[in-house]
């Protein structure tokens, strides 16, 4: 099948990871399109569909598709762990020399897969040692104004807080070579926000512009709370800068309070003070607010340390069909 010429034994094998969560309306169409694309290539290939604990009939659709698509493997979490966990599970179970991740909603067209592979092979034929081919959206005109603006704010904040040069408008449609996948698999799950992790590790990335399609069916599962959680995960997992900012602000505030205390003592000593409680209440309230905010941020980091120590990847029970 596929491209004539070079023997498939000389070509790198390909794994395509497709996470699904409540995508019963689109799952079969997505897998069929991916299979059609791979069938026209001479590379040995596999498709790994990861059901992220769907509550609809997505898993049944995936299992039915196995009888139609011979190269399909199905992994399923017992419960929903999130998009990053589903991608991580696919990476850990992949066997290909080249691993491609793509969302299952068909907004990222599978027809770009041959171009991803060709771009990687051409880049490395010149000894550039490219590790990742990352797709970026040529435009975001299909997104809502809120989503475009929130995405721009996200990338700006992440760059400022982490110091990592995150690629704007890059989602989870990318190709990674086996050495990159093995490196990522060796890391703790708490750091696996891939759009930040890949540049953080210093992997060599080449960009490929694509145009996204409209959603094939159903509604986006990536809601505002998920975007907010992604932003929190991104900077708490990769930067201690918020702690340093809080420490600096605390130092400045303590200096200011010391100066004010000395001023109030001088006024009291000179007999110029007026009895009252307003100034004391305001100072105590401001200090307590700052302390509470600081403790909240410290609590977030301590929680991350706790999760790292617990290493709950063992609790992410899954089954392969």
């Amino acid at each position: 099948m596929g491209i004539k010429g070079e023997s498939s034994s000389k070509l790198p094998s390909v794994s395509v990871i497709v996470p699904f969560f409540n995508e019963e309306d689109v799952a079969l169409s997505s897998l069929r399109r991916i299979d059609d694309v791979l069938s026209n290539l001479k590379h040995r290939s596999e498709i790994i569909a990861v059901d992220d604990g769907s509550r609809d009939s997505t898993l049944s659709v995936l299992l039915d598709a196995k009888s139609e698509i011979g190269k399909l493997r199905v992994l399923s979490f017992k419960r929903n762990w999130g998009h990053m966990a589903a991608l991580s599970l696919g990476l850990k179970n992949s066997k290909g020399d080249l691993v491609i991740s793509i969302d299952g909603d068909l907004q990222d067209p599978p027809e770009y897969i041959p171009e991803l592979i060709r771009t990687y092979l051409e880049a490395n034929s010149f000894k550039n040692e490219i590790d990742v081919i990352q797709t970026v959206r040529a435009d975001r005109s299909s997104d809502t104004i809120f989503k475009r603006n929130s995405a721009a704010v996200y990338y700006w904040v992440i760059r400022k807080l982490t110091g990592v040069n995150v690629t704007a408008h890059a989602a989870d449609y990318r190709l990674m070579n086996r050495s990159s996948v093995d490196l990522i698999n060796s890391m703790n799950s708490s750091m696996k926000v891939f759009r930040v992790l890949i540049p953080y590790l210093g992997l060599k990335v080449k960009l490929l512009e694509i145009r996204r399609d409209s959603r094939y069916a159903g509604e986006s599962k990536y809601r505002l709370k998920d975007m907010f959680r992604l932003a929190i995960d991104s900077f708490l997992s990769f930067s201690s800068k918020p702690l340093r900012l809080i420490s600096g602000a605390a130092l400045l505030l303590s200096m200011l309070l010391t100066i004010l205390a000395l001023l109030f003592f001088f006024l009291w000593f000179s007999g110029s003070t007026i009895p009252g409680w307003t100034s004391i209440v305001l100072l105590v309230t401001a200090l307590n607010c700052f302390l509470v905010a600081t403790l909240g941020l410290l609590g977030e980091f301590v929680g991350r340390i706790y999760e790292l120590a617990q290493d709950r990847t063992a609790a992410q029970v899954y089954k392969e069909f």
Side-chain angles (χ1 to χ4, degrees):
M1 62 179 178
I3 301 171
K4 300 182 185 300
E6 193 171 2
S7 170
S8 60
S9 62
K10 297 180 181 179
L11 295 173
S13 56
V14 177
S15 296
V16 179
I17 301 167
V18 198
F20 293 99
F21 176 63
N22 292 346
E23 296 285 8
E24 60 183 2
D25 296 328
V26 71
L28 183 57
S29 298
S30 178
L31 293 174
R32 281 174 174 170
R33 278 181 59 179
I34 294 170
D35 183 49
D36 287 342
V37 170
L38 293 177
S39 296
N40 288 320
L41 300 175
K42 202 162 185 176
H43 300 258
R44 289 182 296 108
S45 59
E46 64 175 357
I47 303 172
I48 303 175
V50 182
D51 172 48
D52 188 19
S54 296
R55 293 185 286 269
D56 62 4
S57 60
T58 297
L59 179 57
S60 297
V61 173
L62 297 179
L63 294 179
D64 290 341
K66 280 180 64 67
S67 60
E68 177 183 336
I69 303 172
K71 57 172 64 73
L72 177 62
R73 297 167 59 197
V74 177
L75 309 176
S76 179
F77 278 135
K78 292 287 187 180
R79 51 153 285 191
N80 176 247
W81 287 98
H83 190 67
M84 294 298 110
L87 286 177
S88 296
L89 181 63
L91 290 179
K92 286 182 178 179
N93 285 272
S94 65
K95 301 175 182 177
D97 301 313
L98 305 178
V99 181
I100 297 171
S101 59
I102 180 173
D103 289 345
D105 57 12
L106 287 178
Q107 284 192 274
D108 294 325
E111 288 72 22
Y112 281 103
I113 288 176
E115 191 169 352
L116 279 166
I117 298 172
R118 182 166 53 251
T119 302
Y120 173 82
L121 295 177
E122 289 178 355
N124 283 282
S125 67
F126 296 104
K127 297 184 179 180
N128 290 329
E129 296 184 358
I130 298 297
D131 301 301
V132 179
I133 305 298
Q134 173 68 62
T135 67
V136 292
R137 303 174 192 179
D139 68 80
R140 301 195 67 147
S141 56
S142 60
D143 291 341
T144 63
I145 294 176
F146 171 77
K147 193 166 184 179
R148 288 199 298 269
N149 291 333
S150 61
V153 171
Y154 165 80
Y155 289 115
W156 182 84
V157 170
I158 294 306
R159 289 193 191 103
K160 292 296 182 182
L161 290 180
T162 67
V164 179
N165 188 23
V166 182
T167 302
H169 311 305
D172 291 304
Y173 190 13
R174 64 176 67 87
L175 177 150
M176 293 181 283
N177 60 19
R178 174 45 57 183
S179 61
S180 301
V181 172
D182 290 342
L183 175 60
I184 290 172
N185 285 341
S186 69
M187 303 188 69
N188 188 280
S189 61
S190 65
M191 294 191 68
K192 290 181 181 177
V193 181
F194 294 102
R195 66 189 69 188
V196 185
L197 177 60
I198 287 172
Y200 174 82
L201 292 173
L203 298 175
K204 299 292 183 64
V205 179
K206 183 177 178 63
L207 303 182
L208 175 66
E209 283 195 351
I210 67 168
R211 292 192 175 275
R212 299 194 87 197
D213 292 336
S214 300
R215 187 176 177 82
Y216 181 83
E219 298 179 351
S220 174
K221 309 303 183 297
Y222 225 65
R223 296 181 173 84
L224 180 60
K225 67 176 182 179
D226 299 309
M227 298 177 189
F228 182 73
R229 184 172 63 181
L230 176 65
I232 295 296
D233 288 343
S234 297
F235 82 83
L236 287 183
S237 296
F238 291 91
S239 177
S240 60
K241 187 175 289 187
L243 281 177
R244 292 197 296 271
L245 291 175
I246 288 292
S247 299
L251 177 62
L252 291 175
L253 181 59
S254 63
M255 292 173 62
L256 176 61
L257 290 174
T258 302
I259 293 172
L260 288 174
L262 292 173
L263 176 61
F264 291 151
F265 178 77
F266 175 77
L267 292 175
W268 172 80
F269 186 78
S270 63
S272 302
T273 56
I274 299 174
W277 55 269
T278 304
S279 58
I280 296 175
V281 170
L282 290 175
L283 282 173
V284 171
T285 302
L287 182 59
N288 284 338
C289 288
F290 185 79
L291 289 174
V292 169
T294 303
L295 288 174
L297 185 62
L298 287 173
E300 285 288 339
F301 278 94
V302 171
R304 296 300 166 121
I305 295 171
Y306 173 75
E307 289 184 359
L308 185 66
Q310 292 289 312
D311 192 11
R312 291 178 178 167
T313 51
Q316 295 174 348
V317 180
Y318 72 94
K319 185 176 182 180
E320 179 168 359
F321 297 90

